[in-house]
Amino acid sequence: MKTLPARRESALRQRQRKGVLRVRAAADFRCLVAEAGLAEAYDSTDVVVAANAEFTDQGSLHLNIGPSDPPIRFREAQLEALGAQGGGGGGDLVLPIGGGFGEAQRQGGAHLLDRLLQGGSLTLTASGEVTALHPRRDLLAQLDLERIGSGRLLLHRAISENGVVAVSSAEGVLRSPWGPVLGPFGNALYGCGGAGSIGLTMPGLALLGPGSPVLVAGAIGWVVGSGSGHQPGVPRSAGGHALSPGAVAAVSVDLHGLRSEWLRPCFFEGHGAGLLVGLAAPVPLINEAVARQAACGDEDLEAPVLDVAIPRRLRPRFGSVSYARLKSGLIQVEGRRVTAAPAHSPRLAEAVGAELIAWLQDGRFPLHLPVQPLSGRGGLIPLDS
């Protein structure tokens, strides 16, 4: 069989500058491969777009406030009764997007972010660490997006290769970061979108590295490196796809570019606040191997089924299941028929993917390969006590 010709990054960028870049959604590329074969689909496609819309509480807001007069160096601060930490500089604050588990208002930093993006304001109450250059002891102020000098949303686990299927062997309802899991084996919740997700269209996140651009909630964000729980060495299929959560990328994005329609604050009963984020990434088809991996369908991609009722580092596993079975709505676990449902938003992922396609075709989104890959060092090192 003839090998498909490799493509240069410079050639793809030149096509983008000329306005003739051929971009397809991952689902459309897979359909074309099924109809016409890989060679023809590759010949008529330059870039495949993959997208995710998953829940996360692993993120933080980094805000630069001030300067006040007289200046203050934050020691303790609260935004709408939620605790924030000083970020090192005199006017820097760091606020987790999760939290709120014990709060009567049932909200975390994700909800405050949404309020800012909707045009609302937040009450800042702070005490200062008095120095000769920062003599102010207390501060009470109202903040809106225009009164924040600079800010960034840092997603510590923005993109993961794969997800898990959560089931419970215990009686009753188990509150979890995927939502309510019914037991014993009453339902199954899966957090990854399968084929078309970034990590299963681009195994190993091989075309992402520090400085790679990613569309995050309507703004261009940037990969800052490996993210929380990065596991590049997990078992893989023959095609290179991770059989469990694998490589992870952390992403940072300018707060002032975010659009509220691509973000959804939420609160998981028994767990706390989280954020549904729409992300999309380009997958340049630079060679046959990349194209073949991007063409892989749900029937060939699997996720592990874990018993989340067991609160241990290594949870009991009931084998694996294909994403085709998950999306059918019914799977088999321990001989039982279990209803499966997504703990993510396929609709939002499709919408943010379509947005990135338009940006790439219009030349509004930079197209380049990473200067260096994500770290090969695993990030999940057991903590024994």
Side-chain angles (χ1 to χ4, degrees), residues 25-372:
D28 293 338
F29 180 70
R30 292 196 307 275
C31 288
L32 184 57
V33 171
E35 294 171 1
L38 183 65
E40 186 170 328
Y42 181 80
D43 187 57
S44 61
T45 309
D46 296 315
V47 179
V48 165
V49 165
N52 297 352
E54 301 172 0
F55 292 98
T56 183
D57 60 358
Q58 298 186 48
S60 52
L61 295 174
H62 296 249
L63 309 177
N64 182 260
I65 313 298
S68 63
D69 189 22
I72 187 172
R73 185 165 77 179
F74 293 126
R75 182 181 62 189
E76 296 181 354
Q78 289 187 321
L79 282 169
E80 295 292 320
L82 293 179
Q85 294 182 331
D92 291 335
L93 289 175
V94 180
L95 181 72
I97 63 172
F101 177 62
E103 298 289 337
Q105 298 183 36
R106 296 162 54 87
Q107 66 176 7
H111 297 82
L112 303 191
L113 169 62
D114 181 63
R115 193 184 306 181
L116 287 172
L117 297 180
Q118 297 278 6
S121 63
L122 307 175
T123 300
L124 169 64
T125 306
S127 60
E129 196 169 43
V130 176
T131 70
L133 297 180
H134 304 86
R136 188 163 190 160
R137 293 182 179 273
D138 300 291
L139 178 67
L140 178 64
Q142 290 295 123
L143 295 178
D144 57 31
L145 201 56
E146 295 307 312
R147 297 191 66 188
I148 296 174
S150 63
R152 303 197 69 79
L153 170 63
L154 176 60
L155 298 170
H156 311 302
R157 193 176 173 83
I159 304 170
S160 178
E161 269 196 271
N162 200 345
V164 303
V165 182
V167 298
S168 172
S169 62
E171 294 285 344
V173 179
L174 179 69
R175 308 298 181 181
S176 80
W178 297 274
V181 184
L182 311 179
F185 305 107
N187 68 343
L189 300 178
Y190 59 99
C192 174
S197 68
I198 299 172
L200 289 175
T201 303
M202 184 200 304
L205 304 183
L207 300 180
L208 294 178
S212 293
V214 178
L215 187 63
V216 183
I220 297 179
W222 306 94
V223 174
V224 296
S226 303
S228 299
H230 180 59
Q231 301 181 85
V234 296
R236 298 179 177 276
S237 68
H241 298 84
L243 297 176
S244 62
V248 178
V251 173
S252 177
V253 61
D254 190 335
L255 193 68
H256 290 82
L258 296 173
R259 288 162 46 186
S260 59
E261 60 263 38
W262 304 114
L263 297 163
R264 302 284 191 278
C266 58
F267 190 89
F268 290 99
E269 189 69 41
H271 182 77
L275 187 66
L276 177 67
V277 188
L279 300 100
V283 184
L285 300 186
I286 55 174
N287 56 44
E288 180 178 339
V290 171
R292 196 173 294 281
Q293 290 176 330
C296 197
D298 284 318
E299 62 280 0
D300 298 316
L301 301 170
E302 296 183 345
V305 181
L306 301 184
D307 186 356
V308 297
I310 309 300
R312 299 301 301 268
R313 186 169 66 203
L314 297 177
R315 301 179 189 273
R317 177 170 173 167
F318 300 110
S320 296
V321 64
S322 74
Y323 278 96
R325 293 296 302 168
L326 287 167
K327 292 180 181 181
S328 76
L330 282 175
I331 63 173
Q332 291 278 339
V333 181
E334 294 292 276
R336 307 177 189 224
R337 287 162 56 89
V338 179
T339 300
H344 58 275
S345 174
R347 184 194 63 80
L348 187 62
E350 182 180 356
V352 76
E355 185 82 354
L356 179 55
I357 289 173
W359 283 37
L360 284 163
Q361 291 174 331
D362 295 345
R364 288 180 285 160
F365 190 92
L367 185 64
H368 65 78
L369 298 177
V371 176
Q372 66 180 46

Side-chain angles (χ1 to χ4, degrees), residues 12-26:
L12 295 178
R13 285 208 301 265
Q14 185 176 24
R15 291 187 62 83
Q16 186 182 37
R17 285 193 296 268
K18 291 180 177 179
V20 294
L21 189 70
R22 300 164 300 181
V23 187
R24 298 183 194 275

